[in-house]
Amino acid sequence: MTRIIVLTGAGISAESGVPTFRGAGGLWEGHRVEDVATPEAFAADPETVQRFYDARRRAVASVAPNPAHHALAALERAIGDDLLVVTQNIDDLHERAGSSRVLHMHGELGRARCAACGERPPVQDDLLPGPPCPACGERMLRPDVVWFGELPYGLDEIDAALAACDVFVAIGTSGAVYPAAGFVLTASALGASTLELNLAESEITPFFAESRLGPASVLVPEWVRELLAAPSRTT
Ligand code: BV8
């Protein structure tokens, strides 16, 4: 049963060299994520959107997990199914650090989605040249990423975990995007203790019982060490 839910955002990958969305004016490859991460943008200009995600897929392949990702993997090794990492990130740094209980609520760069048959095949190379879907052969693969206006993945599983958890921790998220930004309210309303680990105050800082400011690579290992040293402690 999930006792601890950790919600991660772009800030946990920042020290690995993956740009955040709202740092540096929120531009990524010269685009505002809200302008390219929508089904309408993809319909209007699929090449630009494919190029945006192909560039990010290549960039993520060249970086490595940082101590924050490794600390969460160590926590999973210690408490197993009592931990669920819900990530808004589409990179695979949690998995490359060794985490296996990871729910990518906004999808993954490492997967495509066939607009013809719905297959979600793993993908490593660029989607722009239009490779055929391995299941149906159609050349209609898009990034398997949840865009604005699309339903996030795993909401039922997340809701069940929020109802059961004792501890909810958010790491490196600005709290700008829903429904993820509202998870802390659900968890605390259901009696969980809540902790935010972030470099700066976020839009949801006021909703947390405790908020610690600093880089994830320092705060996350520190929190995991504390947690494992005092098992009775819940945050
Ligand atoms: C949906 C994938 C219908 C693409 C992304 C209320 C309820 C429900 C929906 C809405 C609502 N109000 C508005 C909406 C609509 C919309 C929304 O939220 N819009 C916003 C702009 C207002 N939401 C949606 O459309 C969602 N779908 O609503 O479906 C529905 C939903 C529920 C139930 C029924 C129906 C879908 C949204 C998903 C969009 N896709 N990503 C891609 O990656 O390209 S969002 C994308 O942006 C990320 O996934 C992430 O979620 C978000 C960026 O946020 P962060 O990860 O927090 O990153 P950010 O750069 O903002 O902040 C970085 C943070 O890190 C900062 O706080 C910084 O201080 C910190 N930091 C930096 N360095 C460090 C650090 N912290 C620690 N250490 C460091 N070193």
Side-chain angles (χ1 to χ4, degrees), residues 90-146:
I90 59 177
D91 63 54
D92 61 348
L93 293 175
H94 284 301
E95 290 84 350
R96 283 161 56 192
S99 290
S100 58
R101 282 174 55 75
V102 181
L103 196 163
H104 284 272
M105 65 178 291
H106 291 160
E108 298 172 78
L109 278 170
R111 205 171 283 283
R113 192 192 311 168
C114 178
C117 73
E119 180 77 7
R120 294 168 58 197
V123 63
Q124 285 178 327
D125 304 322
D126 288 359
L127 287 178
L128 188 56
C133 167
C136 74
E138 289 293 331
R139 294 180 180 279
M140 295 175 73
L141 291 175
R142 57 163 275 186
D144 187 23
V145 163
V146 176

Tab-separated table of all heavy atoms in Angstrom, residues 90-146:
chain	number	residue	atom	x	y	z
A	90	ILE	N	8.898	14.082	-18.497
A	90	ILE	CA	8.819	13.086	-19.584
A	90	ILE	C	10.199	12.487	-19.861
A	90	ILE	O	10.359	11.699	-20.777
A	90	ILE	CB	8.205	13.726	-20.858
A	90	ILE	CG1	9.018	14.912	-21.369
A	90	ILE	CG2	6.764	14.143	-20.576
A	90	ILE	CD1	8.459	15.507	-22.681
A	91	ASP	N	11.193	12.858	-19.013
A	91	ASP	CA	12.507	12.226	-19.164
A	91	ASP	C	12.506	10.905	-18.393
A	91	ASP	O	11.588	10.615	-17.633
A	91	ASP	CB	13.627	13.172	-18.640
A	91	ASP	CG	13.516	13.466	-17.149
A	91	ASP	OD1	13.457	12.507	-16.346
A	91	ASP	OD2	13.496	14.649	-16.770
A	92	ASP	N	13.594	10.103	-18.592
A	92	ASP	CA	13.635	8.781	-17.946
A	92	ASP	C	14.704	8.734	-16.855
A	92	ASP	O	15.263	7.673	-16.541
A	92	ASP	CB	13.903	7.687	-18.995
A	92	ASP	CG	15.256	7.892	-19.705
A	92	ASP	OD1	15.865	8.986	-19.542
A	92	ASP	OD2	15.687	6.964	-20.414
A	93	LEU	N	14.986	9.878	-16.268
A	93	LEU	CA	16.072	9.932	-15.286
A	93	LEU	C	15.734	9.170	-14.002
A	93	LEU	O	16.620	8.582	-13.379
A	93	LEU	CB	16.456	11.393	-14.998
A	93	LEU	CG	17.098	12.125	-16.195
A	93	LEU	CD1	17.341	13.592	-15.866
A	93	LEU	CD2	18.387	11.450	-16.619
A	94	HIS	N	14.470	9.136	-13.597
A	94	HIS	CA	14.119	8.314	-12.425
A	94	HIS	C	14.466	6.844	-12.699
A	94	HIS	O	15.088	6.177	-11.881
A	94	HIS	CB	12.616	8.425	-12.121
A	94	HIS	CG	12.201	9.701	-11.453
A	94	HIS	ND1	12.698	10.122	-10.243
A	94	HIS	CD2	11.304	10.655	-11.825
A	94	HIS	CE1	12.138	11.279	-9.900
A	94	HIS	NE2	11.308	11.619	-10.852
A	95	GLU	N	14.053	6.364	-13.859
A	95	GLU	CA	14.304	4.948	-14.196
A	95	GLU	C	15.800	4.692	-14.339
A	95	GLU	O	16.318	3.683	-13.872
A	95	GLU	CB	13.588	4.571	-15.492
A	95	GLU	CG	12.063	4.509	-15.381
A	95	GLU	CD	11.352	5.858	-15.551
A	95	GLU	OE1	12.028	6.923	-15.567
A	95	GLU	OE2	10.114	5.852	-15.656
A	96	ARG	N	16.517	5.626	-14.944
A	96	ARG	CA	17.970	5.406	-15.122
A	96	ARG	C	18.714	5.454	-13.792
A	96	ARG	O	19.797	4.914	-13.656
A	96	ARG	CB	18.533	6.426	-16.124
A	96	ARG	CG	18.168	6.033	-17.576
A	96	ARG	CD	18.287	7.174	-18.556
A	96	ARG	NE	19.602	7.786	-18.583
A	96	ARG	CZ	19.807	8.946	-19.222
A	96	ARG	NH1	18.810	9.577	-19.821
A	96	ARG	NH2	21.008	9.477	-19.246
A	97	ALA	N	18.081	6.066	-12.768
A	97	ALA	CA	18.705	6.061	-11.429
A	97	ALA	C	18.351	4.784	-10.677
A	97	ALA	O	18.908	4.497	-9.617
A	97	ALA	CB	18.229	7.268	-10.628
A	98	GLY	N	17.374	3.997	-11.219
A	98	GLY	CA	17.021	2.730	-10.580
A	98	GLY	C	15.612	2.657	-10.016
A	98	GLY	O	15.207	1.625	-9.488
A	99	SER	N	14.846	3.751	-10.127
A	99	SER	CA	13.459	3.681	-9.641
A	99	SER	C	12.629	2.841	-10.601
A	99	SER	O	12.796	2.929	-11.826
A	99	SER	CB	12.849	5.094	-9.556
A	99	SER	OG	13.456	5.829	-8.511
A	100	SER	N	11.696	2.038	-10.057
A	100	SER	CA	10.827	1.267	-10.964
A	100	SER	C	9.359	1.617	-10.737
A	100	SER	O	8.554	1.500	-11.646
A	100	SER	CB	11.034	-0.239	-10.754
A	100	SER	OG	10.754	-0.547	-9.402
A	101	ARG	N	9.016	2.071	-9.569
A	101	ARG	CA	7.622	2.460	-9.313
A	101	ARG	C	7.479	3.946	-9.627
A	101	ARG	O	7.484	4.802	-8.757
A	101	ARG	CB	7.239	2.157	-7.856
A	101	ARG	CG	6.935	0.667	-7.625
A	101	ARG	CD	6.694	0.354	-6.175
A	101	ARG	NE	5.639	1.171	-5.576
A	101	ARG	CZ	4.336	1.007	-5.793
A	101	ARG	NH1	3.933	0.087	-6.647
A	101	ARG	NH2	3.436	1.756	-5.214
A	102	VAL	N	7.382	4.229	-10.942
A	102	VAL	CA	7.316	5.608	-11.437
A	102	VAL	C	6.089	5.722	-12.339
A	102	VAL	O	5.910	4.910	-13.254
A	102	VAL	CB	8.581	5.976	-12.247
A	102	VAL	CG1	8.508	7.424	-12.734
A	102	VAL	CG2	9.845	5.758	-11.408
A	103	LEU	N	5.238	6.710	-12.084
A	103	LEU	CA	4.055	6.918	-12.924
A	103	LEU	C	4.234	8.229	-13.674
A	103	LEU	O	4.277	9.298	-13.060
A	103	LEU	CB	2.792	6.972	-12.051
A	103	LEU	CG	1.435	6.809	-12.747
A	103	LEU	CD1	0.337	6.472	-11.755
A	103	LEU	CD2	1.044	8.025	-13.564
A	104	HIS	N	4.406	8.129	-15.000
A	104	HIS	CA	4.617	9.334	-15.822
A	104	HIS	C	3.250	9.904	-16.206
A	104	HIS	O	2.692	9.567	-17.252
A	104	HIS	CB	5.404	8.975	-17.085
A	104	HIS	CG	6.877	8.751	-16.849
A	104	HIS	ND1	7.804	9.760	-16.894
A	104	HIS	CD2	7.564	7.627	-16.534
A	104	HIS	CE1	9.012	9.281	-16.650
A	104	HIS	NE2	8.901	7.982	-16.415
A	105	MET	N	2.718	10.782	-15.383
A	105	MET	CA	1.344	11.269	-15.616
A	105	MET	C	1.252	12.138	-16.869
A	105	MET	O	0.158	12.301	-17.433
A	105	MET	CB	0.801	12.030	-14.403
A	105	MET	CG	1.516	13.321	-14.082
A	105	MET	SD	0.763	14.174	-12.668
A	105	MET	CE	-0.804	14.670	-13.367
A	106	HIS	N	2.383	12.671	-17.348
A	106	HIS	CA	2.354	13.480	-18.579
A	106	HIS	C	3.061	12.781	-19.728
A	106	HIS	O	3.449	13.429	-20.705
A	106	HIS	CB	2.981	14.857	-18.321
A	106	HIS	CG	2.143	15.706	-17.418
A	106	HIS	ND1	2.650	16.786	-16.738
A	106	HIS	CD2	0.831	15.619	-17.054
A	106	HIS	CE1	1.683	17.336	-16.015
A	106	HIS	NE2	0.580	16.645	-16.185
A	107	GLY	N	3.211	11.455	-19.599
A	107	GLY	CA	3.790	10.667	-20.687
A	107	GLY	C	5.303	10.653	-20.651
A	107	GLY	O	5.926	11.074	-19.676
A	108	GLU	N	5.897	10.164	-21.746
A	108	GLU	CA	7.350	9.943	-21.780
A	108	GLU	C	7.919	10.233	-23.166
A	108	GLU	O	7.340	9.828	-24.181
A	108	GLU	CB	7.649	8.466	-21.454
A	108	GLU	CG	7.219	7.996	-20.086
A	108	GLU	CD	7.368	6.485	-19.935
A	108	GLU	OE1	8.512	6.038	-19.734
A	108	GLU	OE2	6.363	5.767	-20.036
A	109	LEU	N	9.079	10.869	-23.180
A	109	LEU	CA	9.786	11.089	-24.454
A	109	LEU	C	10.158	9.750	-25.089
A	109	LEU	O	10.238	9.654	-26.303
A	109	LEU	CB	11.074	11.887	-24.195
A	109	LEU	CG	10.936	13.392	-24.062
A	109	LEU	CD1	12.251	13.990	-23.557
A	109	LEU	CD2	10.521	14.021	-25.382
A	110	GLY	N	10.374	8.735	-24.244
A	110	GLY	CA	10.841	7.432	-24.739
A	110	GLY	C	9.745	6.562	-25.317
A	110	GLY	O	9.939	5.366	-25.534
A	111	ARG	N	8.578	7.168	-25.554
A	111	ARG	CA	7.476	6.381	-26.122
A	111	ARG	C	6.748	7.235	-27.167
A	111	ARG	O	6.694	8.459	-27.029
A	111	ARG	CB	6.511	6.007	-24.980
A	111	ARG	CG	5.684	4.770	-25.211
A	111	ARG	CD	4.924	4.353	-23.935
A	111	ARG	NE	5.796	3.697	-22.960
A	111	ARG	CZ	6.208	2.434	-23.081
A	111	ARG	NH1	5.827	1.721	-24.128
A	111	ARG	NH2	6.994	1.878	-22.188
A	112	ALA	N	6.251	6.577	-28.187
A	112	ALA	CA	5.435	7.282	-29.189
A	112	ALA	C	3.998	6.789	-29.038
A	112	ALA	O	3.710	5.881	-28.261
A	112	ALA	CB	5.963	6.978	-30.588
A	113	ARG	N	3.085	7.431	-29.745
A	113	ARG	CA	1.697	6.990	-29.722
A	113	ARG	C	1.195	7.041	-31.170
A	113	ARG	O	1.372	8.062	-31.847
A	113	ARG	CB	0.852	7.905	-28.841
A	113	ARG	CG	-0.532	7.362	-28.526
A	113	ARG	CD	-1.454	8.386	-27.896
A	113	ARG	NE	-0.869	9.121	-26.781
A	113	ARG	CZ	-1.444	10.218	-26.259
A	113	ARG	NH1	-2.572	10.682	-26.777
A	113	ARG	NH2	-0.886	10.849	-25.248
A	114	CYS	N	0.609	5.945	-31.649
A	114	CYS	CA	0.143	5.910	-33.038
A	114	CYS	C	-1.260	6.511	-33.130
A	114	CYS	O	-2.195	6.030	-32.470
A	114	CYS	CB	0.126	4.473	-33.559
A	114	CYS	SG	-0.486	4.357	-35.257
A	115	ALA	N	-1.380	7.568	-33.917
A	115	ALA	CA	-2.687	8.229	-34.070
A	115	ALA	C	-3.646	7.337	-34.854
A	115	ALA	O	-4.857	7.544	-34.834
A	115	ALA	CB	-2.496	9.571	-34.784
A	116	ALA	N	-3.115	6.299	-35.530
A	116	ALA	CA	-3.996	5.419	-36.317
A	116	ALA	C	-4.532	4.271	-35.467
A	116	ALA	O	-5.727	3.995	-35.454
A	116	ALA	CB	-3.228	4.864	-37.520
A	117	CYS	N	-3.624	3.600	-34.695
A	117	CYS	CA	-4.102	2.399	-33.988
A	117	CYS	C	-3.983	2.507	-32.464
A	117	CYS	O	-4.406	1.607	-31.740
A	117	CYS	CB	-3.334	1.162	-34.488
A	117	CYS	SG	-1.627	1.083	-33.897
A	118	GLY	N	-3.365	3.590	-31.975
A	118	GLY	CA	-3.303	3.768	-30.511
A	118	GLY	C	-2.138	3.052	-29.852
A	118	GLY	O	-1.899	3.197	-28.654
A	119	GLU	N	-1.353	2.274	-30.608
A	119	GLU	CA	-0.170	1.587	-30.043
A	119	GLU	C	0.768	2.628	-29.440
A	119	GLU	O	0.859	3.754	-29.949
A	119	GLU	CB	0.533	0.830	-31.184
A	119	GLU	CG	1.771	0.054	-30.785
A	119	GLU	CD	1.434	-1.275	-30.073
A	119	GLU	OE1	0.237	-1.620	-30.029
A	119	GLU	OE2	2.370	-1.940	-29.585
A	120	ARG	N	1.467	2.231	-28.333
A	120	ARG	CA	2.411	3.184	-27.702
A	120	ARG	C	3.797	2.544	-27.671
A	120	ARG	O	4.257	2.109	-26.629
A	120	ARG	CB	1.909	3.541	-26.306
A	120	ARG	CG	0.586	4.317	-26.332
A	120	ARG	CD	-0.058	4.431	-24.955
A	120	ARG	NE	0.837	5.068	-24.001
A	120	ARG	CZ	0.651	4.985	-22.670
A	120	ARG	NH1	-0.322	4.238	-22.179
A	120	ARG	NH2	1.490	5.608	-21.838
A	121	PRO	N	4.453	2.478	-28.823
A	121	PRO	CA	5.746	1.786	-28.907
A	121	PRO	C	6.882	2.600	-28.289
A	121	PRO	O	6.839	3.835	-28.333
A	121	PRO	CB	5.966	1.624	-30.410
A	121	PRO	CG	5.229	2.760	-31.034
A	121	PRO	CD	4.022	2.999	-30.152
A	122	PRO	N	7.894	1.928	-27.709
A	122	PRO	CA	9.079	2.658	-27.255
A	122	PRO	C	9.756	3.319	-28.459
A	122	PRO	O	9.674	2.831	-29.578
A	122	PRO	CB	9.970	1.580	-26.656
A	122	PRO	CG	9.367	0.282	-26.989
A	122	PRO	CD	7.979	0.495	-27.478
A	123	VAL	N	10.379	4.480	-28.201
A	123	VAL	CA	11.058	5.175	-29.314
A	123	VAL	C	12.344	5.778	-28.783
A	123	VAL	O	12.383	6.265	-27.649
A	123	VAL	CB	10.133	6.254	-29.918
A	123	VAL	CG1	9.793	7.355	-28.922
A	123	VAL	CG2	10.762	6.879	-31.137
A	124	GLN	N	13.413	5.655	-29.597
A	124	GLN	CA	14.678	6.282	-29.191
A	124	GLN	C	15.099	7.353	-30.199
A	124	GLN	O	15.728	8.323	-29.864
A	124	GLN	CB	15.785	5.214	-29.090
A	124	GLN	CG	15.637	4.337	-27.840
A	124	GLN	CD	16.707	3.251	-27.784
A	124	GLN	OE1	17.136	2.756	-28.819
A	124	GLN	NE2	17.120	2.884	-26.581
A	125	ASP	N	14.732	7.126	-31.454
A	125	ASP	CA	15.197	8.052	-32.508
A	125	ASP	C	14.150	9.124	-32.797
A	125	ASP	O	13.052	9.091	-32.276
A	125	ASP	CB	15.510	7.249	-33.785
A	125	ASP	CG	16.538	6.140	-33.493
A	125	ASP	OD1	17.468	6.424	-32.689
A	125	ASP	OD2	16.337	5.003	-33.977
A	126	ASP	N	14.529	10.037	-33.693
A	126	ASP	CA	13.632	11.137	-34.049
A	126	ASP	C	12.334	10.615	-34.665
A	126	ASP	O	12.336	9.620	-35.401
A	126	ASP	CB	14.327	12.063	-35.066
A	126	ASP	CG	15.443	12.881	-34.397
A	126	ASP	OD1	15.635	12.731	-33.169
A	126	ASP	OD2	16.103	13.652	-35.122
A	127	LEU	N	11.239	11.297	-34.369
A	127	LEU	CA	9.947	10.945	-34.977
A	127	LEU	C	9.678	11.778	-36.227
A	127	LEU	O	8.760	11.485	-36.994
A	127	LEU	CB	8.803	11.149	-33.972
A	127	LEU	CG	8.725	10.123	-32.835
A	127	LEU	CD1	7.583	10.477	-31.880
A	127	LEU	CD2	8.529	8.718	-33.379
A	128	LEU	N	10.530	12.832	-36.427
A	128	LEU	CA	10.233	13.711	-37.563
A	128	LEU	C	10.272	12.974	-38.907
A	128	LEU	O	9.368	13.135	-39.736
A	128	LEU	CB	11.200	14.914	-37.582
A	128	LEU	CG	10.845	15.986	-38.608
A	128	LEU	CD1	9.419	16.476	-38.404
A	128	LEU	CD2	11.799	17.170	-38.544
A	129	PRO	N	11.241	12.090	-39.156
A	129	PRO	CA	11.215	11.467	-40.494
A	129	PRO	C	9.949	10.612	-40.708
A	129	PRO	O	9.695	10.161	-41.809
A	129	PRO	CB	12.461	10.580	-40.485
A	129	PRO	CG	13.279	10.996	-39.322
A	129	PRO	CD	12.313	11.571	-38.327
A	130	GLY	N	9.197	10.386	-39.634
A	130	GLY	CA	7.936	9.668	-39.794
A	130	GLY	C	8.102	8.167	-39.923
A	130	GLY	O	7.650	7.561	-40.904
A	131	PRO	N	8.761	7.529	-38.931
A	131	PRO	CA	8.894	6.057	-39.001
A	131	PRO	C	7.514	5.401	-38.926
A	131	PRO	O	6.583	5.979	-38.355
A	131	PRO	CB	9.724	5.723	-37.762
A	131	PRO	CG	9.519	6.859	-36.818
A	131	PRO	CD	9.305	8.071	-37.676
A	132	PRO	N	7.353	4.204	-39.515
A	132	PRO	CA	6.060	3.543	-39.474
A	132	PRO	C	5.763	2.984	-38.088
A	132	PRO	O	6.674	2.620	-37.358
A	132	PRO	CB	6.195	2.405	-40.498
A	132	PRO	CG	7.660	2.133	-40.568
A	132	PRO	CD	8.354	3.440	-40.292
A	133	CYS	N	4.512	2.932	-37.714
A	133	CYS	CA	4.109	2.322	-36.449
A	133	CYS	C	4.446	0.817	-36.519
A	133	CYS	O	4.069	0.158	-37.517
A	133	CYS	CB	2.603	2.509	-36.252
A	133	CYS	SG	1.918	1.495	-34.928
A	134	PRO	N	5.127	0.266	-35.517
A	134	PRO	CA	5.487	-1.158	-35.577
A	134	PRO	C	4.254	-2.074	-35.569
A	134	PRO	O	4.315	-3.214	-35.989
A	134	PRO	CB	6.333	-1.368	-34.314
A	134	PRO	CG	6.115	-0.181	-33.455
A	134	PRO	CD	5.635	0.926	-34.318
A	135	ALA	N	3.111	-1.521	-35.102
A	135	ALA	CA	1.912	-2.379	-35.011
A	135	ALA	C	1.090	-2.324	-36.302
A	135	ALA	O	0.686	-3.352	-36.832
A	135	ALA	CB	1.047	-1.924	-33.832
A	136	CYS	N	0.884	-1.100	-36.848
A	136	CYS	CA	-0.042	-1.037	-37.998
A	136	CYS	C	0.634	-0.514	-39.252
A	136	CYS	O	0.039	-0.499	-40.332
A	136	CYS	CB	-1.246	-0.150	-37.650
A	136	CYS	SG	-0.868	1.613	-37.621
A	137	GLY	N	1.868	-0.050	-39.120
A	137	GLY	CA	2.588	0.370	-40.331
A	137	GLY	C	2.286	1.782	-40.794
A	137	GLY	O	2.959	2.328	-41.666
A	138	GLU	N	1.244	2.400	-40.194
A	138	GLU	CA	0.918	3.774	-40.589
A	138	GLU	C	2.027	4.719	-40.127
A	138	GLU	O	2.663	4.499	-39.093
A	138	GLU	CB	-0.410	4.208	-39.936
A	138	GLU	CG	-1.648	3.516	-40.517
A	138	GLU	CD	-1.903	3.927	-41.963
A	138	GLU	OE1	-1.531	5.068	-42.346
A	138	GLU	OE2	-2.431	3.083	-42.722
A	139	ARG	N	2.269	5.768	-40.873
A	139	ARG	CA	3.279	6.761	-40.512
A	139	ARG	C	2.596	7.916	-39.786
A	139	ARG	O	2.536	9.030	-40.266
A	139	ARG	CB	4.019	7.255	-41.765
A	139	ARG	CG	4.849	6.162	-42.411
A	139	ARG	CD	5.590	6.624	-43.661
A	139	ARG	NE	6.367	5.514	-44.228
A	139	ARG	CZ	7.576	5.153	-43.756
A	139	ARG	NH1	8.096	5.804	-42.723
A	139	ARG	NH2	8.237	4.139	-44.298
A	140	MET	N	2.019	7.545	-38.570
A	140	MET	CA	1.274	8.584	-37.817
A	140	MET	C	1.662	8.538	-36.338
A	140	MET	O	0.815	8.585	-35.458
A	140	MET	CB	-0.234	8.343	-37.977
A	140	MET	CG	-0.734	8.506	-39.410
A	140	MET	SD	-2.470	8.065	-39.550
A	140	MET	CE	-3.221	9.477	-38.724
A	141	LEU	N	2.977	8.437	-36.093
A	141	LEU	CA	3.441	8.385	-34.697
A	141	LEU	C	3.656	9.796	-34.161
A	141	LEU	O	4.310	10.618	-34.802
A	141	LEU	CB	4.755	7.595	-34.611
A	141	LEU	CG	4.661	6.086	-34.874
A	141	LEU	CD1	6.062	5.465	-34.871
A	141	LEU	CD2	3.772	5.405	-33.829
A	142	ARG	N	3.100	10.095	-32.990
A	142	ARG	CA	3.330	11.373	-32.281
A	142	ARG	C	4.033	11.034	-30.969
A	142	ARG	O	4.006	9.881	-30.516
A	142	ARG	CB	2.013	12.102	-32.007
A	142	ARG	CG	0.997	11.289	-31.222
A	142	ARG	CD	-0.106	12.105	-30.604
A	142	ARG	NE	0.301	12.660	-29.298
A	142	ARG	CZ	-0.522	13.322	-28.488
A	142	ARG	NH1	-1.768	13.556	-28.855
A	142	ARG	NH2	-0.110	13.778	-27.312
A	143	PRO	N	4.621	12.048	-30.313
A	143	PRO	CA	5.218	11.777	-29.004
A	143	PRO	C	4.132	11.291	-28.039
A	143	PRO	O	2.997	11.810	-28.071
A	143	PRO	CB	5.762	13.139	-28.555
A	143	PRO	CG	5.890	13.948	-29.810
A	143	PRO	CD	4.820	13.452	-30.746
A	144	ASP	N	4.421	10.294	-27.203
A	144	ASP	CA	3.423	9.830	-26.229
A	144	ASP	C	3.511	10.727	-24.996
A	144	ASP	O	3.903	10.309	-23.908
A	144	ASP	CB	3.671	8.369	-25.842
A	144	ASP	CG	2.523	7.858	-24.962
A	144	ASP	OD1	1.403	8.430	-25.021
A	144	ASP	OD2	2.762	6.912	-24.185
A	145	VAL	N	3.149	11.986	-25.228
A	145	VAL	CA	3.266	13.029	-24.201
A	145	VAL	C	1.883	13.634	-24.017
A	145	VAL	O	1.143	13.811	-24.989
A	145	VAL	CB	4.298	14.079	-24.692
A	145	VAL	CG1	4.185	15.357	-23.918
A	145	VAL	CG2	5.708	13.508	-24.611
A	146	VAL	N	1.508	13.928	-22.780
A	146	VAL	CA	0.182	14.511	-22.514
A	146	VAL	C	0.272	16.019	-22.716
A	146	VAL	O	0.987	16.701	-21.972
A	146	VAL	CB	-0.267	14.195	-21.076
A	146	VAL	CG1	-1.596	14.895	-20.772
A	146	VAL	CG2	-0.397	12.689	-20.875
